[in-house]
Amino acid sequence: CSTMRLCVSNLFQSRMVLQREKPIAIWGWAAPDEEVTVSLGAQRASARAGADRSWRVALPAQPANATPQQVIVQGREARLVLDDVLVGDVWVLGGQSNMEFELEKVENGALEIVSAHYPQIRVLTVPYAIGPEPARSFPRLDEWSDWFGRHFRKGDWDHCTPAIARELSAIGYAFARRVHMASQIPIGVIDVSRGGTTVETWTPLDELRAIDEPFLREKLADWERRCAEWNAEQDLAQRIAQHREWIAEQRAAGKAIPEDRQREPSDLRPGPAGDANHPGHCFAGMIGPLEGFAVKGVLFHQGYNNAFDGLP
């Protein structure tokens, strides 16, 4: 939300589930000093946007409610309406590839997918992002995956249908279905998992620095050293030289050069500071937008990447 218009974090959308029996925090941005009023059913709360345009309200806790409601956000002139909002239990799905692994890829996944009609289960998959600064929101997009060679729709709250369930975490789907069937209340799952990540990237950097463990201190120092030594201009010059060498070899061999390989590199890469496994980065970029959002609990499946470097 880069303009002066009224908006909410993309965490808050139509079709979302809000956590029952806990105060409901909702936040966003507006013009500085603009008064914003948020209502849910008979409950309402107001706040005034600060100089940085941010505002935040807290509504009283509500019991589970499977009847769709509206969240209405009213500013000085603009009015936002979020439809089909339920109140139930919200669970966060975190970790690396075993949590991210989609339902369509597991044994008997196809059978689960065709029967995945659960209108009171709502799904949100957060797009990949990294720190170092904590994110306050996230984009809504079709995110390209080099690993799978296709796009994945992320950043939207959706009903659990076969089309949505096929790309949902298999662990998350099985858990959400069982809990919903047992409790008979709305269930929301927010997937913030990312394959190939280590536990350090899912931990706040300040918390890691406070741990007195020699191996961890050495690991953090190594990241700091590599970030300090990174020279983006030198990296670009090296990639340009490699590109020119490859072009010369192709021409010498009489081979055609594809159009998408003819242009020399021109981007300055962030180096280690842009690595998803930089300590604290996934926490800041993907957990950060959830800060202050009430949930029932967290399912976290992680560890395999850490088995390679010996970090306990």
Side-chain angles (χ1 to χ4, degrees):
C1 185
S2 58
T3 66
M4 300 295 280
R5 66 184 178 87
L6 175 69
C7 59
V8 292
S9 166
N10 277 342
L11 181 58
F12 306 105
Q13 304 174 26
S14 296
R15 301 179 299 277
M16 66 179 171
V17 176
L18 297 172
Q19 179 59 45
R20 63 172 171 155
E21 299 171 357
K22 292 184 179 181
I24 299 170
I26 297 177
W27 59 88
W29 297 268
D33 202 43
E34 180 177 356
E35 185 176 32
V36 179
T37 299
V38 180
S39 62
L40 172 64
Q43 305 291 345
R44 64 168 45 199
S46 298
R48 195 169 291 276
D52 64 352
R53 301 183 51 238
S54 66
W55 55 265
R56 183 188 190 95
V57 303
L59 296 166
Q62 294 197 12
N65 189 344
T67 301
Q69 301 183 74
Q70 287 185 330
V71 170
I72 300 175
V73 183
Q74 180 67 58
R76 184 179 299 125
E77 298 177 356
R79 184 173 187 258
L80 307 177
V81 179
L82 309 181
D83 294 309
D84 193 14
V85 176
L86 306 182
V87 181
D89 283 340
V90 181
W91 295 85
V92 175
L93 313 176
Q96 57 178 113
S97 56
N98 277 23
M99 179 60 80
E100 188 178 32
F101 202 73
E102 304 99 304
L103 181 60
E104 67 176 345
K105 293 185 174 67
V106 300
E107 186 177 0
N108 295 322
L111 181 60
E112 295 289 352
I113 289 169
V114 296
S115 60
H117 294 276
Y118 295 99
Q120 291 183 28
I121 296 178
R122 309 293 173 84
V123 178
L124 169 65
T125 300
V126 175
Y128 290 163
I130 60 172
E133 297 302 320
R136 291 293 308 280
S137 189
F138 49 80
R140 300 168 70 174
L141 48 75
D142 286 326
E143 184 174 78
W144 174 257
S145 169
D146 287 330
W147 183 265
F148 295 112
R150 66 183 181 91
H151 288 88
F152 288 85
R153 184 167 176 266
K154 293 186 177 182
D156 290 293
W157 276 101
D158 287 303
H159 297 96
C160 182
T161 64
I164 296 301
R166 63 188 293 269
E167 294 185 358
L168 177 61
S169 156
I171 294 175
Y173 171 78
F175 177 83
R177 184 195 61 188
R178 292 184 181 184
V179 171
H180 172 60
M181 296 299 290
S183 66
Q184 292 298 298
I185 64 170
I187 299 294
V189 288
I190 302 176
D191 188 350
V192 294
S193 57
R194 182 169 186 172
T197 51
T198 61
V199 71
E200 303 93 84
T201 192
W202 295 106
T203 308
L205 185 55
D206 288 344
E207 297 293 333
L208 291 171
R209 287 171 173 162
I211 298 174
D212 186 15
E213 204 285 325
F215 188 93
L216 178 57
R217 289 189 177 277
E218 180 181 342
K219 196 174 187 65
L220 294 177
D222 180 61
W223 276 103
E224 292 175 1
R225 181 169 53 254
R226 286 191 285 138
C227 288
E229 293 174 351
W230 176 256
N231 186 316
E233 295 285 355
Q234 182 178 336
D235 170 71
L236 177 58
Q238 182 178 359
R239 286 186 289 131
I240 290 174
Q242 291 173 340
H243 179 268
R244 291 175 179 175
E245 182 180 351
W246 181 82
I247 292 289
E249 291 174 351
Q250 293 295 105
R251 287 175 175 165
K255 296 181 179 179
I257 301 172
E259 186 175 348
D260 61 348
R261 297 288 303 275
Q262 293 178 10
R263 184 177 300 174
E264 290 186 350
S266 59
D267 60 312
L268 294 176
R269 300 192 298 191
D275 193 318
N277 276 323
H278 186 292
H281 269 27
C282 280
F283 181 88
M286 297 179 71
I287 303 294
L290 310 185
E291 184 178 357
F293 187 72
V295 300
K296 179 72 171 180
V298 177
L299 279 72
F300 202 81
H301 194 305
Q302 210 284 329
Y304 289 100
N305 269 61
N306 287 92
F308 298 122
D309 63 11
L311 185 65

